[in-house]
Amino acid sequence: AIPGTSDTVACYADIILPTPPAVTDNCGVSLDPTGPVESTVPSCEGDITYTWTYTDCEGNSQDYVHTVTIEYEGFQMPADVSVDVQCPEDTDVIPTPPVVNDNCGNPITPTGPVVVTTPDPIICIGTVTYTWNYEDCEGNNHDWVYTYNVEDTIDPEIINLPVVDPLCNDNFPTELFADWTDNCAAGGTGISSGPPVITNFECHQEAVYTFYVEDNCMNSDTETVTVIREFDQFTNCETAFARLSPDNPPSQCFIDDPDYTFNRWGWTNYIAEAGTYEMELWAGAAHCDTSRGDFVGTVTVTYSGGLVDVEYNILPGYSMSEAHVNIGCDKYPTKPNGQVTVAPGQYNFNLGELDHVNNYTLEDVEVDGPFWIIAHAVTCEVVCRCSVSSDEGGSQTSTLDPIDCTSGANVADNDPFKYILDFDVYPVPFNSEFYVKYNFEYDTDVTIEIYNVKGILVEKVINNSYVQGTNAINKIDLNGKISNEVLFIKLSTSKGLGIKKIVAANYFGNK
């Protein structure tokens, strides 16, 4: 018998067959074997035999058997995988298991995955594992684990914050809206939380609206929006009247008018001919004393082509809420019962409530001849202002019939303003005496009145026997009645009046 041999290998591919031994027959003849013949290969571990057969010429034979034992070894696995993610939804992606071969290079088909969630269900923090099992034919097995570490650490974000233009006199909105997004949640539209926090300043308020959003993992975001609300505020509203001149006349203070008894201050102003006249507008000047009032603007009177425009221009820091104008042939308007009045409600032009304007105009008043004008207003100090009045820069056009202050049908023959009279006063300057010289082409009574700058009558002289064409001279002696003053000489006839100004000689030396 030919003794057999054996070997142990890990894999079929590792088998190395031996060289069969040398064999001779009984005559010493070397025999060549046939084979080898391989037995059935096991599906996994087991023995495989390889047989060589030696046969002599007589047909005698013997076998040489080599036995190979296949003994599987364990296989290598790739490392497990662990990844960090923010959202539970990120774990829905099933990983791809790796390709693993046994120790002989044969691919192993894994089983799985087995999915384990901790905690269950995941809210904010935890793990999700995907496990596959690899097992070779011998029963050697290993797990491969893919782990998702879930923890949401990203705050949501408030976006599209509203931009609110500064408000003017309007109320603050009750609430504001903004959008929000999140890395895990769907996001949406949020409302400002709670009422706004309002801080007051002198001329505005600031309202702070707070937006707060929190996701399921208590990540949060806070944003604020500040809305500014400005407002109009006026104070110290006063009656105001326009004065053409500090001299009296042509600007006659109501309460100093010797012909009337008024308890209201203000001025009526005489305009004799076409031109542009700028009057000072004084507010709160009780008793016509401008030192007790405020200069708040001007009133410009434009008399041209038989039309009169009256334009109010209020200084910055002030506004006008009412205006009344009286234009007529007499110094003052009259009530329906014929009583003379200075109440603004009786003026022939009521410009109405003007919502705090700085400029407004009465236009196209038809006037012929010299006239008197009273310009009244109600003015206020501006504390705060954000709005622009719809009346600003506006105007009203007169709808009244023409005002005829000449010798027409609307003027009586004895109207004192029918004519502008010319006369002479001398010497200029004077000491205590001066002379008034005049010549008219009609018989008339002549009245000469002397007023100081406060409109107080100082002296009055009447000539009841003037004959037309005569050069008349009246001597006026004011010794002891005045001192270093400016005086106004008013001369009146049946058909008109004239006004002159004269200065005492020592007026300049005492300035």
Side-chain angles (χ1 to χ4, degrees):
I2 302 173
T5 57
S6 64
D7 193 12
T8 300
V9 296
C11 303
Y12 179 83
D14 296 333
I15 297 173
I16 300 175
L17 294 178
T19 301
V23 178
T24 61
D25 63 11
N26 62 325
C27 293
V29 177
S30 179
L31 300 177
D32 293 324
T34 59
V37 175
E38 184 182 61
S39 66
T40 302
V41 177
S43 60
C44 187
E45 289 186 337
D47 291 338
I48 304 175
T49 60
Y50 294 87
T51 303
W52 286 265
T53 301
Y54 292 83
T55 304
D56 61 14
C57 60
E58 181 65 22
N60 299 308
S61 65
Q62 290 189 28
D63 292 332
Y64 165 65
V65 178
H66 179 75
T67 303
V68 178
T69 302
I70 298 176
E71 182 67 38
Y72 263 66
E73 298 176 357
F75 54 88
Q76 297 296 316
M77 288 291 296
D80 292 340
V81 175
S82 179
V83 296
D84 296 331
V85 295
Q86 292 287 330
C87 307
E89 294 78 8
D90 296 337
T91 67
D92 293 339
V93 179
I94 300 175
T96 300
V99 174
V100 177
N101 296 324
D102 63 16
N103 66 307
C104 295
N106 301 309
I108 301 175
T109 301
T111 59
V114 176
V115 182
V116 178
T117 300
T118 305
D120 187 11
I122 289 178
I123 297 177
C124 294
I125 185 170
T127 61
V128 177
T129 60
Y130 287 79
T131 302
W132 284 266
N133 181 257
Y134 291 79
E135 185 174 354
D136 63 15
C137 61
E138 178 60 21
N140 300 310
N141 70 77
H142 298 284
D143 288 336
W144 183 79
V145 181
Y146 190 102
T147 302
Y148 285 109
N149 300 304
V150 183
E151 183 178 6
D152 185 357
T153 61
I154 298 177
D155 291 332
E157 182 180 4
I158 297 171
I159 61 173
N160 298 331
L161 288 169
V163 177
V164 182
D165 292 333
L167 306 173
C168 180
N169 298 321
D170 295 330
N171 293 326
F172 285 116
T174 304
E175 55 196 11
L176 298 177
F177 299 88
D179 298 327
W180 67 279
T181 61
D182 186 64
N183 61 314
C184 296
T189 298
I191 303 174
S192 54
S193 54
V197 177
I198 297 176
T199 304
N200 295 314
F201 298 89
E202 181 179 8
C203 286
H204 75 281
Q205 294 176 308
E206 292 184 359
V208 178
Y209 294 78
T210 300
F211 294 86
Y212 178 80
V213 63
E214 183 177 292
D215 64 16
N216 293 335
C217 300
M218 293 184 292
N219 299 309
S220 64
D221 188 22
T222 301
E223 298 286 351
T224 60
V225 172
T226 299
V227 178
I228 295 175
R229 174 184 179 266
E230 300 172 337
F231 48 83
D232 295 337
Q233 184 176 339
F234 307 93
T235 189
N236 296 334
C237 295
E238 296 275 5
T239 294
F241 283 94
R243 182 183 71 176
L244 178 61
S245 168
D247 301 331
N248 196 8
S251 295
Q252 174 65 59
C253 176
F254 302 160
I255 58 178
D256 292 337
D257 194 322
D259 297 327
Y260 302 96
T261 302
F262 296 124
N263 59 10
R264 181 191 295 269
W265 73 275
W267 294 277
T268 182
N269 305 278
Y270 185 66
I271 293 180
E273 58 188 15
T276 299
Y277 303 84
E278 185 171 282
M279 300 193 291
E280 298 174 347
L281 187 63
W282 290 89
H287 300 286
C288 300
D289 183 356
T290 57
S291 67
R292 301 169 63 178
D294 294 306
F295 175 61
V296 296
T298 61
V299 177
T300 302
V301 179
T302 304
Y303 184 19
S304 176
L307 296 176
V308 173
D309 291 341
V310 182
E311 181 179 9
Y312 286 82
N313 287 290
I314 308 303
L315 291 175
Y318 297 91
S319 67
M320 180 171 67
S321 59
E322 294 181 30
H324 300 80
V325 178
N326 192 80
I327 297 176
C329 304
D330 299 318
K331 285 192 286 186
Y332 309 108
T334 56
K335 298 179 181 179
N337 61 7
Q339 181 181 355
V340 175
T341 181
V342 291
Q346 301 298 318
Y347 297 176
N348 51 3
F349 297 99
N350 180 354
L351 305 186
E353 296 184 4
L354 298 176
D355 189 27
H356 297 283
V357 298
N358 286 87
N359 177 270
Y360 203 80
T361 304
L362 169 65
E363 297 181 333
D364 297 343
V365 181
E366 295 187 54
V367 180
D368 192 4
F371 61 90
W372 291 86
I373 179 171
I374 304 173
H376 162 265
V378 174
T379 61
C380 306
E381 294 180 24
V382 178
V383 178
C384 310
R385 188 69 185 266
C386 62
S387 68
V388 177
S389 170
S390 59
D391 298 322
E392 182 64 38
S395 64
Q396 292 185 25
T397 301
S398 171
T399 59
L400 296 184
D401 293 335
I403 300 172
D404 188 354
C405 296
T406 63
S407 58
N410 295 330
V411 181
D413 287 341
N414 63 351
D415 189 301
F417 312 115
K418 182 175 179 181
Y419 299 116
I420 305 301
L421 303 180
D422 189 26
F423 60 95
D424 294 321
V425 179
Y426 60 91
V428 179
F430 72 98
N431 289 311
S432 61
E433 298 178 346
F434 61 87
Y435 298 89
V436 179
K437 178 181 178 181
Y438 48 90
N439 187 316
F440 304 117
E441 296 180 355
Y442 50 90
D443 296 339
T444 183
D445 293 341
V446 176
T447 300
I448 300 172
E449 297 169 294
I450 316 300
Y451 292 92
N452 65 15
V453 292
K454 295 183 178 180
I456 297 174
L457 182 65
V458 176
E459 184 71 11
K460 186 174 183 178
V461 176
I462 297 177
N463 180 354
N464 292 322
S465 58
Y466 177 76
V467 178
Q468 68 175 8
T470 303
N471 286 321
I473 299 175
N474 287 98
K475 177 181 177 181
I476 310 296
D477 186 355
L478 300 180
N479 186 31
K481 295 182 180 181
I482 64 165
S483 61
N484 49 290
E485 293 189 47
V486 176
L487 300 175
F488 293 92
I489 316 303
K490 175 182 174 183
L491 187 150
S492 305
T493 72
S494 60
K495 294 187 177 182
L497 64 80
I499 297 174
K500 298 275 188 174
K501 181 169 70 172
I502 192 170
V503 181
N506 58 356
Y507 172 76
F508 298 100
N510 286 274
K511 286 182 69 67

